[in-house]
Amino acid sequence: MGKAGRFACIFLPMVMTMIALGLLITVGLAGTNKNDSTLTNLYIFRANTSQANANASLSFLPSNPDTPAEDKAANGSIILQDFYTVYLWNYCAGNGSSTGNNTVASAKSTTQHASFCSAHQNQFWFDPETVWGLNDQNASQLFGDSLKNALNSYHTAAKWMTTLYALAIVTTVVEIVIGFGAVFSRIGSVATTIVSALSSTFILGFAILITGIYAALETAFNTALKPYDISGSLGGRMLAVVWIATILSFGSGFFWLFSSCCCSGRSNKSYDHGKGVDYERTPYEPVGGQYGGPQQGMPMGNVGPARGQAYEPYRHGAA
């Protein structure tokens, strides 16, 4: 197998790694542009609050004094958006809209458009107490102990999520760079396999953490806020992107390992560069011709004098 064969051998893991990197980048870009519905629909978690403003239990909760006037009712109580979508670095909020392309499709299905997206924030976590403009007393009354404990755990886990995400991006990029060197030798494949193992570990940790913590947050939301017509739901599309990237990363690692042990870049033929002889292509021929052919010996001639003509120095003629 020459260089062309080895390139074909590493092509599949390289493509899988690049796709995984593209999916990870998409996770980081989600929610960065409120006008891009594709990215805003890739949310991790969604708080559904469209029915909350009509709930009498919330109409008497006074808002935080720092809450903007447009988010307050006439009596000073809070006014919530219809939904809040959470991403890796920020959140977006909006209402059902009938403006432009965002029309009400039916009574049961409303196209909702994000009217606001918060700024990018490292180690971001969605704090409903701050976002909804609640004061401490309101938050305690509304959330209860179970949701507050879940939010505290979520706050701590958010730091690890962003750290694992950054490590996954960096190691995947390094994996691709080193992977180009795997074309020339199996040593390059071994190095790429090691980096791929690290990358896959970070991606798997990120996937497990982001799924587990937001699943717990969804349960806590639905348990504590159901009386106020507020519910939470996981973003299936975003989690699918994360887990597909995880599967691709592990798959590429397997094929990198395969290329390090089973795909040699050396040619099978031997070549004598000094004499220009290709031993694989030059057939062996015996000295005497083909096997089974006529054998031609060297004529020996008369080795000695004919019988009776030998020189006899002591022989004398007849007397």
Side-chain angles (χ1 to χ4, degrees), residues 26-53:
T26 301
V27 172
L29 292 176
T32 55
N33 184 359
K34 67 179 182 180
N35 297 318
D36 190 331
S37 59
T38 301
L39 292 178
T40 54
N41 286 331
L42 284 176
Y43 55 84
I44 307 172
F45 177 80
R46 176 187 177 104
N48 304 298
T49 53
S50 58
Q51 305 299 320
N53 291 321

mmCIF file of all heavy atoms in Angstrom, residues 26-53:
data_model
loop_
_atom_site.group_PDB
_atom_site.id
_atom_site.type_symbol
_atom_site.label_atom_id
_atom_site.label_comp_id
_atom_site.label_asym_id
_atom_site.label_seq_id
_atom_site.Cartn_x
_atom_site.Cartn_y
_atom_site.Cartn_z
ATOM 1 N N THR A 26 -21.369 24.771 15.736
ATOM 2 C CA THR A 26 -22.782 25.143 15.647
ATOM 3 C C THR A 26 -23.401 25.291 17.039
ATOM 4 O O THR A 26 -24.216 26.190 17.276
ATOM 5 C CB THR A 26 -23.551 24.079 14.846
ATOM 6 O OG1 THR A 26 -22.985 23.967 13.539
ATOM 7 C CG2 THR A 26 -25.023 24.445 14.723
ATOM 8 N N VAL A 27 -23.008 24.416 17.952
ATOM 9 C CA VAL A 27 -23.495 24.518 19.334
ATOM 10 C C VAL A 27 -23.118 25.866 19.932
ATOM 11 O O VAL A 27 -23.933 26.503 20.619
ATOM 12 C CB VAL A 27 -22.917 23.372 20.186
ATOM 13 C CG1 VAL A 27 -23.244 23.580 21.665
ATOM 14 C CG2 VAL A 27 -23.459 22.030 19.715
ATOM 15 N N GLY A 28 -21.890 26.319 19.677
ATOM 16 C CA GLY A 28 -21.446 27.599 20.216
ATOM 17 C C GLY A 28 -22.083 28.799 19.542
ATOM 18 O O GLY A 28 -22.211 29.865 20.145
ATOM 19 N N LEU A 29 -22.495 28.643 18.270
ATOM 20 C CA LEU A 29 -23.086 29.762 17.531
ATOM 21 C C LEU A 29 -24.582 29.915 17.792
ATOM 22 O O LEU A 29 -25.154 30.967 17.497
ATOM 23 C CB LEU A 29 -22.859 29.577 16.023
ATOM 24 C CG LEU A 29 -21.423 29.696 15.520
ATOM 25 C CD1 LEU A 29 -21.362 29.401 14.025
ATOM 26 C CD2 LEU A 29 -20.855 31.081 15.811
ATOM 27 N N ALA A 30 -25.213 28.898 18.320
ATOM 28 C CA ALA A 30 -26.661 28.948 18.552
ATOM 29 C C ALA A 30 -27.024 30.100 19.484
ATOM 30 O O ALA A 30 -26.395 30.303 20.519
ATOM 31 C CB ALA A 30 -27.132 27.626 19.146
ATOM 32 N N GLY A 31 -28.042 30.856 19.089
ATOM 33 C CA GLY A 31 -28.523 31.960 19.906
ATOM 34 C C GLY A 31 -27.752 33.254 19.757
ATOM 35 O O GLY A 31 -28.046 34.225 20.457
ATOM 36 N N THR A 32 -26.773 33.303 18.857
ATOM 37 C CA THR A 32 -25.976 34.521 18.718
ATOM 38 C C THR A 32 -26.631 35.560 17.809
ATOM 39 O O THR A 32 -26.251 36.717 17.835
ATOM 40 C CB THR A 32 -24.584 34.186 18.146
ATOM 41 O OG1 THR A 32 -24.735 33.473 16.904
ATOM 42 C CG2 THR A 32 -23.808 33.312 19.129
ATOM 43 N N ASN A 33 -27.624 35.123 17.023
ATOM 44 C CA ASN A 33 -28.295 36.047 16.106
ATOM 45 C C ASN A 33 -29.801 35.821 16.214
ATOM 46 O O ASN A 33 -30.315 34.785 15.801
ATOM 47 C CB ASN A 33 -27.811 35.804 14.670
ATOM 48 C CG ASN A 33 -28.404 36.804 13.689
ATOM 49 O OD1 ASN A 33 -29.196 37.678 14.055
ATOM 50 N ND2 ASN A 33 -28.031 36.673 12.422
ATOM 51 N N LYS A 34 -30.504 36.785 16.749
ATOM 52 C CA LYS A 34 -31.946 36.621 16.961
ATOM 53 C C LYS A 34 -32.718 36.568 15.650
ATOM 54 O O LYS A 34 -33.870 36.095 15.619
ATOM 55 C CB LYS A 34 -32.486 37.760 17.825
ATOM 56 C CG LYS A 34 -32.430 39.130 17.145
ATOM 57 C CD LYS A 34 -32.999 40.215 18.039
ATOM 58 C CE LYS A 34 -32.988 41.575 17.331
ATOM 59 N NZ LYS A 34 -33.537 42.645 18.193
ATOM 60 N N ASN A 35 -32.129 37.043 14.554
ATOM 61 C CA ASN A 35 -32.805 37.036 13.262
ATOM 62 C C ASN A 35 -32.594 35.745 12.486
ATOM 63 O O ASN A 35 -33.161 35.574 11.411
ATOM 64 C CB ASN A 35 -32.320 38.221 12.418
ATOM 65 C CG ASN A 35 -32.664 39.555 13.044
ATOM 66 O OD1 ASN A 35 -33.777 39.741 13.560
ATOM 67 N ND2 ASN A 35 -31.726 40.498 13.015
ATOM 68 N N ASP A 36 -31.767 34.867 13.005
ATOM 69 C CA ASP A 36 -31.502 33.588 12.354
ATOM 70 C C ASP A 36 -32.317 32.516 13.065
ATOM 71 O O ASP A 36 -31.953 32.045 14.139
ATOM 72 C CB ASP A 36 -30.011 33.256 12.409
ATOM 73 C CG ASP A 36 -29.642 32.075 11.541
ATOM 74 O OD1 ASP A 36 -30.494 31.189 11.343
ATOM 75 O OD2 ASP A 36 -28.486 32.011 11.067
ATOM 76 N N SER A 37 -33.428 32.132 12.468
ATOM 77 C CA SER A 37 -34.314 31.169 13.120
ATOM 78 C C SER A 37 -33.680 29.795 13.262
ATOM 79 O O SER A 37 -33.998 29.044 14.185
ATOM 80 C CB SER A 37 -35.623 31.049 12.329
ATOM 81 O OG SER A 37 -35.370 30.621 10.995
ATOM 82 N N THR A 38 -32.766 29.452 12.345
ATOM 83 C CA THR A 38 -32.100 28.146 12.435
ATOM 84 C C THR A 38 -31.281 28.048 13.711
ATOM 85 O O THR A 38 -31.308 27.042 14.418
ATOM 86 C CB THR A 38 -31.204 27.918 11.211
ATOM 87 O OG1 THR A 38 -31.997 27.978 10.022
ATOM 88 C CG2 THR A 38 -30.519 26.560 11.295
ATOM 89 N N LEU A 39 -30.546 29.110 14.014
ATOM 90 C CA LEU A 39 -29.707 29.107 15.201
ATOM 91 C C LEU A 39 -30.522 29.298 16.476
ATOM 92 O O LEU A 39 -30.204 28.704 17.516
ATOM 93 C CB LEU A 39 -28.636 30.191 15.094
ATOM 94 C CG LEU A 39 -27.563 29.978 14.017
ATOM 95 C CD1 LEU A 39 -26.594 31.156 13.978
ATOM 96 C CD2 LEU A 39 -26.805 28.676 14.264
ATOM 97 N N THR A 40 -31.566 30.122 16.432
ATOM 98 C CA THR A 40 -32.360 30.341 17.643
ATOM 99 C C THR A 40 -33.192 29.110 18.002
ATOM 100 O O THR A 40 -33.545 28.912 19.177
ATOM 101 C CB THR A 40 -33.290 31.550 17.470
ATOM 102 O OG1 THR A 40 -34.087 31.375 16.283
ATOM 103 C CG2 THR A 40 -32.498 32.843 17.375
ATOM 104 N N ASN A 41 -33.498 28.264 17.018
ATOM 105 C CA ASN A 41 -34.242 27.040 17.311
ATOM 106 C C ASN A 41 -33.353 25.944 17.894
ATOM 107 O O ASN A 41 -33.868 24.927 18.380
ATOM 108 C CB ASN A 41 -34.921 26.513 16.050
ATOM 109 C CG ASN A 41 -36.136 27.334 15.653
ATOM 110 O OD1 ASN A 41 -36.790 27.929 16.509
ATOM 111 N ND2 ASN A 41 -36.435 27.386 14.364
ATOM 112 N N LEU A 42 -32.053 26.127 17.857
ATOM 113 C CA LEU A 42 -31.126 25.168 18.455
ATOM 114 C C LEU A 42 -30.854 25.555 19.910
ATOM 115 O O LEU A 42 -29.733 25.856 20.299
ATOM 116 C CB LEU A 42 -29.814 25.113 17.657
ATOM 117 C CG LEU A 42 -29.847 24.364 16.335
ATOM 118 C CD1 LEU A 42 -28.505 24.500 15.623
ATOM 119 C CD2 LEU A 42 -30.175 22.891 16.554
ATOM 120 N N TYR A 43 -31.886 25.547 20.714
ATOM 121 C CA TYR A 43 -31.738 25.896 22.119
ATOM 122 C C TYR A 43 -31.531 24.639 22.950
ATOM 123 O O TYR A 43 -31.909 23.528 22.552
ATOM 124 C CB TYR A 43 -32.963 26.667 22.615
ATOM 125 C CG TYR A 43 -34.276 25.968 22.408
ATOM 126 C CD1 TYR A 43 -34.741 25.013 23.310
ATOM 127 C CD2 TYR A 43 -35.072 26.257 21.301
ATOM 128 C CE1 TYR A 43 -35.952 24.372 23.130
ATOM 129 C CE2 TYR A 43 -36.281 25.615 21.098
ATOM 130 C CZ TYR A 43 -36.720 24.670 22.010
ATOM 131 O OH TYR A 43 -37.915 24.020 21.815
ATOM 132 N N ILE A 44 -30.921 24.831 24.123
ATOM 133 C CA ILE A 44 -30.714 23.706 25.029
ATOM 134 C C ILE A 44 -31.932 23.505 25.925
ATOM 135 O O ILE A 44 -32.348 22.368 26.177
ATOM 136 C CB ILE A 44 -29.469 23.950 25.910
ATOM 137 C CG1 ILE A 44 -28.260 24.284 25.044
ATOM 138 C CG2 ILE A 44 -29.180 22.707 26.760
ATOM 139 C CD1 ILE A 44 -27.050 24.729 25.848
ATOM 140 N N PHE A 45 -32.492 24.616 26.367
ATOM 141 C CA PHE A 45 -33.617 24.562 27.296
ATOM 142 C C PHE A 45 -34.558 25.706 26.972
ATOM 143 O O PHE A 45 -34.131 26.782 26.522
ATOM 144 C CB PHE A 45 -33.121 24.678 28.739
ATOM 145 C CG PHE A 45 -34.207 24.706 29.772
ATOM 146 C CD1 PHE A 45 -34.815 23.526 30.192
ATOM 147 C CD2 PHE A 45 -34.612 25.902 30.337
ATOM 148 C CE1 PHE A 45 -35.816 23.553 31.143
ATOM 149 C CE2 PHE A 45 -35.608 25.942 31.296
ATOM 150 C CZ PHE A 45 -36.212 24.760 31.702
ATOM 151 N N ARG A 46 -35.839 25.474 27.182
ATOM 152 C CA ARG A 46 -36.848 26.496 26.892
ATOM 153 C C ARG A 46 -37.817 26.604 28.053
ATOM 154 O O ARG A 46 -38.374 25.594 28.517
ATOM 155 C CB ARG A 46 -37.606 26.130 25.611
ATOM 156 C CG ARG A 46 -38.750 27.070 25.246
ATOM 157 C CD ARG A 46 -39.510 26.480 24.063
ATOM 158 N NE ARG A 46 -40.655 27.294 23.709
ATOM 159 C CZ ARG A 46 -40.717 28.109 22.662
ATOM 160 N NH1 ARG A 46 -39.674 28.219 21.863
ATOM 161 N NH2 ARG A 46 -41.802 28.812 22.407
ATOM 162 N N ALA A 47 -38.000 27.815 28.543
ATOM 163 C CA ALA A 47 -39.012 28.095 29.565
ATOM 164 C C ALA A 47 -40.249 28.640 28.868
ATOM 165 O O ALA A 47 -40.200 29.692 28.223
ATOM 166 C CB ALA A 47 -38.479 29.102 30.576
ATOM 167 N N ASN A 48 -41.339 27.906 28.955
ATOM 168 C CA ASN A 48 -42.586 28.299 28.302
ATOM 169 C C ASN A 48 -43.451 29.084 29.291
ATOM 170 O O ASN A 48 -43.951 28.525 30.275
ATOM 171 C CB ASN A 48 -43.341 27.051 27.826
ATOM 172 C CG ASN A 48 -42.494 26.183 26.915
ATOM 173 O OD1 ASN A 48 -42.085 26.611 25.849
ATOM 174 N ND2 ASN A 48 -42.215 24.954 27.357
ATOM 175 N N THR A 49 -43.613 30.379 29.026
ATOM 176 C CA THR A 49 -44.304 31.268 29.971
ATOM 177 C C THR A 49 -45.463 32.010 29.316
ATOM 178 O O THR A 49 -45.908 33.034 29.830
ATOM 179 C CB THR A 49 -43.297 32.290 30.542
ATOM 180 O OG1 THR A 49 -42.634 32.960 29.455
ATOM 181 C CG2 THR A 49 -42.247 31.604 31.404
ATOM 182 N N SER A 50 -45.956 31.512 28.186
ATOM 183 C CA SER A 50 -46.979 32.251 27.435
ATOM 184 C C SER A 50 -48.292 32.378 28.202
ATOM 185 O O SER A 50 -49.058 33.327 27.980
ATOM 186 C CB SER A 50 -47.227 31.567 26.086
ATOM 187 O OG SER A 50 -47.634 30.216 26.274
ATOM 188 N N GLN A 51 -48.578 31.445 29.100
ATOM 189 C CA GLN A 51 -49.829 31.491 29.857
ATOM 190 C C GLN A 51 -49.661 32.080 31.252
ATOM 191 O O GLN A 51 -50.638 32.219 31.982
ATOM 192 C CB GLN A 51 -50.398 30.066 29.994
ATOM 193 C CG GLN A 51 -50.598 29.336 28.681
ATOM 194 C CD GLN A 51 -51.585 30.045 27.778
ATOM 195 O OE1 GLN A 51 -52.607 30.556 28.234
ATOM 196 N NE2 GLN A 51 -51.293 30.067 26.478
ATOM 197 N N ALA A 52 -48.428 32.423 31.597
ATOM 198 C CA ALA A 52 -48.172 32.851 32.979
ATOM 199 C C ALA A 52 -48.766 34.206 33.300
ATOM 200 O O ALA A 52 -49.232 34.443 34.430
ATOM 201 C CB ALA A 52 -46.669 32.870 33.242
ATOM 202 N N ASN A 53 -48.780 35.131 32.339
ATOM 203 C CA ASN A 53 -49.258 36.479 32.630
ATOM 204 C C ASN A 53 -50.743 36.498 32.970
ATOM 205 O O ASN A 53 -51.218 37.405 33.653
ATOM 206 C CB ASN A 53 -48.997 37.403 31.437
ATOM 207 C CG ASN A 53 -47.518 37.663 31.239
ATOM 208 O OD1 ASN A 53 -46.774 37.828 32.204
ATOM 209 N ND2 ASN A 53 -47.074 37.695 29.989
#
